[in-house]
Amino acid sequence: MAAQAFEGLAHTVRRLWPADRTAVLNYFLRLDPETRASRFMGNVSEAGVRAYATQALTAEGVMYGAFVGGALRGLGELRPMGPGASRYVLGPHAEAAFAVERAFRRRGIGAALFARIASSARHRGVVDLHVRCLSGNGPMLRLAAKHGAALQHEGREIEGALHLARPTPFSLWYEGIAEAFDFTLAASFPEQMRPPA
């Protein structure tokens, strides 16, 4: 629901729905090898990316996308870390994963995705939001630290945890409005029909 302007362009962050499957696939296929390896914590083939993108929007959890000029340029995922997850409550622990195309970094997209994921997690019963990344993933480390995540080094990986506040009646109401708005945007402006840039 957030629209922010930068350098003459605006980006919109919204929840992704099954109708966005083509946009998600095109996004993952456009990622340069280093960004793709950072996102998946290792090298992934094109076939692996296609298989992941096919099921990503229907797997447990939710996905958010950042659109610039109608194209998906950043993607964040929120996934439960244990049993007991349902469509509306993910459980006390969840994991977030992010990636922003290299040409669109350092413009607030990652921060907007992180804020939206943290808000979504908070309203889905998550108490501790976890992030993992390779130790060389500077953008993710800066983003996690900026949002107050406690970082721990584990070999070549770094794990961070962010303790979330409990939702309030107003924040729950706002989250519901944001999700309705996101669905309306997805139905009204199907970005997946646009050719990949």
Side-chain angles (χ1 to χ4, degrees):
M1 191 163 137
Q4 298 176 5
F6 55 88
E7 295 183 14
L9 297 174
H11 68 271
T12 301
V13 173
R14 69 164 174 81
R15 183 173 173 182
L16 299 175
W17 305 91
D20 293 307
R21 183 172 284 129
T22 301
V24 170
L25 174 60
N26 290 338
Y27 165 80
F28 279 129
L29 292 175
R30 277 195 314 269
L31 292 179
D32 64 271
E34 183 182 333
T35 302
R36 187 186 291 180
S38 290
R39 164 57 192 86
F40 290 104
M41 305 282 291
N43 293 325
V44 179
S45 68
E46 183 174 317
V49 168
R50 287 182 183 279
Y52 182 82
T54 299
Q55 60 79 40
L57 287 165
T58 55
E60 286 185 340
V62 291
M63 295 176 73
Y64 294 91
F67 292 85
V68 178
L72 183 61
R73 299 300 185 180
L75 193 144
E77 301 177 54
L78 175 63
R79 305 290 182 200
M81 290 181 71
S86 74
R87 190 172 184 173
Y88 303 105
V89 178
L90 296 180
H93 303 280
E95 185 173 13
F98 303 87
V100 176
E101 287 184 55
R102 186 178 298 279
F104 294 86
R105 291 185 189 156
R106 310 218 24 104
R107 301 180 183 191
I109 291 175
L113 283 167
F114 197 105
R116 187 67 192 271
I117 291 241
S119 175
S120 179
R122 176 183 179 205
H123 297 108
R124 286 174 169 79
V126 176
V127 176
D128 290 309
L129 181 61
H130 297 262
V131 292
R132 283 185 327 127
C133 68
L134 297 175
S135 58
N137 189 343
M140 186 62 188
L141 291 172
R142 287 188 294 274
L143 190 59
K146 179 181 176 181
H147 283 83
L151 301 174
Q152 289 186 321
H153 293 264
E154 298 176 5
R156 59 183 278 253
E157 295 182 11
I158 295 178
E159 181 165 338
L162 179 64
H163 190 74
L164 302 175
R166 293 184 60 154
T168 65
F170 177 77
S171 70
L172 286 165
W173 171 82
Y174 185 82
E175 180 77 10
I177 296 297
E179 296 249 329
F181 185 75
D182 290 349
F183 184 78
T184 302
L185 277 178
S188 301
F189 304 100
E191 281 82 3
Q192 74 275 7
M193 300 307 290
R194 298 176 189 266

